[in-house]
Amino acid sequence: EAQVTQNPRYLITVTGKKLTVTCSQNMNHEYMSWYRQDPGLGLRQIYYSMNVEVTDKGDVPEGYKVSRKEKRNFPLILESPSPNQTSLYFCASRSNGDGIYGYTFGSGTRLTVV
Amino acid sequence: RKEVEQDPGPFNVPEGATVAFNCTYSNSASQSFFWYRQDCRKEPKLLMSVYSSGNEDGRFTAQLNRASQYISLLIRDSKLSDSATYLCAVKADAGKSTFGDGTTLTVKP
């Protein structure tokens, strides 16, 4: 089954404790992206990657890091999480090919930083 | 002003009704347009890509108006199962995609 897999689904952590949210896709998609979704603010793009070793900032990159060492994986790293990073996070992927391609999203990671 | 704006609703309609959502975007260089559906606390799922000439998928019709910079989604013969939040998304360049905040639809018996 074609899918984007995020882990963990739920995470409660303390301020300052480094964490990584993993994201993996099995569709051979070149493009991957991370979004956070907050009430009243919608989906906001954190980082995206056009292909392996190519990453770029989205609209809200502060406090986050990403890496793209393999095509299928795009982890999101919070080096020193803070309470304002409490949010619902989605990883998404799509093809870069010709044509209009929408995203396939992962099931989401609900992060609480206390 | 937000890059992509939607009427948040909620839209409450009876079964069988026709309902339309609009989404305006500010970047005239926008290239690709999409509608997604999001059920409560779940991930968005692609509903339709929006083509320049408009396109239809069953009860759903999407339109693009580049001159006025908006896209629309029409749902005919609404079903209870259509209740969800509908997000529009706009891609202006190869990398970034911007989403609207979503329009909530509730279809009632």
Side-chain angles (χ1 to χ4, degrees):
Chain A
E1 181 190 352
Q3 59 186 2
V4 177
T5 303
Q6 287 179 236
N7 280 297
R9 291 290 308 277
Y10 301 91
L11 179 60
I12 301 174
T13 190
V14 296
T15 299
K17 185 176 181 183
K18 181 179 178 179
L19 66 92
T20 299
V21 183
T22 63
C23 174
S24 180
Q25 50 94 4
N26 63 1
M27 296 165 282
N28 203 36
H29 284 167
E30 297 85 6
Y31 182 97
M32 298 185 75
S33 184
W34 276 101
Y35 285 85
R36 61 178 289 176
Q37 187 172 37
D38 303 286
L41 297 175
L43 278 163
R44 293 179 292 167
Q45 194 170 32
I46 303 170
Y47 269 95
Y48 62 92
S49 169
M50 300 287 287
N51 215 321
V52 176
E53 301 292 1
V54 180
T55 63
D56 210 343
K57 297 177 181 178
D59 295 316
V60 288
E62 295 77 21
Y64 304 95
K65 284 175 58 177
V66 292
S67 68
R68 187 89 182 274
K69 294 187 172 62
E70 307 163 281
K71 197 171 188 180
R72 63 183 292 124
N73 295 324
F74 190 45
L76 180 69
I77 302 156
L78 285 72
E79 294 268 4
S80 183
S82 62
N84 65 11
Q85 292 178 298
T86 293
S87 186
L88 177 58
Y89 291 86
F90 289 107
C91 180
S93 73
R94 62 169 170 80
S95 171
N96 267 356
D98 292 337
I100 303 176
Y101 294 100
Y103 282 129
T104 300
F105 281 86
S107 300
T109 296
R110 191 167 292 277
L111 172 66
T112 302
V113 183
V114 297
Chain B
R1 183 188 172 195
K2 290 187 176 182
E3 282 188 56
V4 178
E5 295 202 68
Q6 294 182 250
D7 181 344
F11 284 61
N12 298 306
V13 303
E15 268 187 294
T18 295
V19 61
F21 308 133
N22 279 345
C23 170
T24 59
Y25 59 94
S26 61
N27 187 344
S28 59
S30 297
Q31 301 169 350
S32 305
F33 308 87
F34 307 90
W35 284 102
Y36 290 81
R37 172 198 169 120
Q38 186 174 26
D39 294 292
C40 187
R41 294 177 170 269
K42 297 207 168 176
E43 72 273 22
K45 292 189 176 176
L46 180 66
L47 182 65
M48 300 175 74
S49 302
V50 186
Y51 298 102
S52 297
S53 55
N55 47 300
E56 189 174 305
D57 182 3
R59 297 181 293 107
F60 298 84
T61 301
Q63 298 277 355
L64 167 62
N65 186 319
R66 285 192 184 271
S68 300
Q69 295 184 199
Y70 75 85
I71 61 173
S72 64
L73 177 69
L74 182 78
I75 306 175
R76 289 181 300 277
D77 188 22
S78 300
K79 312 289 186 194
L80 296 177
S81 57
D82 293 334
S83 298
T85 296
Y86 291 84
L87 306 169
C88 64
V90 174
K91 185 160 76 75
D93 60 37
K96 295 181 68 174
S97 293
T98 303
F99 284 79
D101 291 350
T103 298
T104 300
L105 172 66
T106 301
V107 181
K108 300 187 179 228

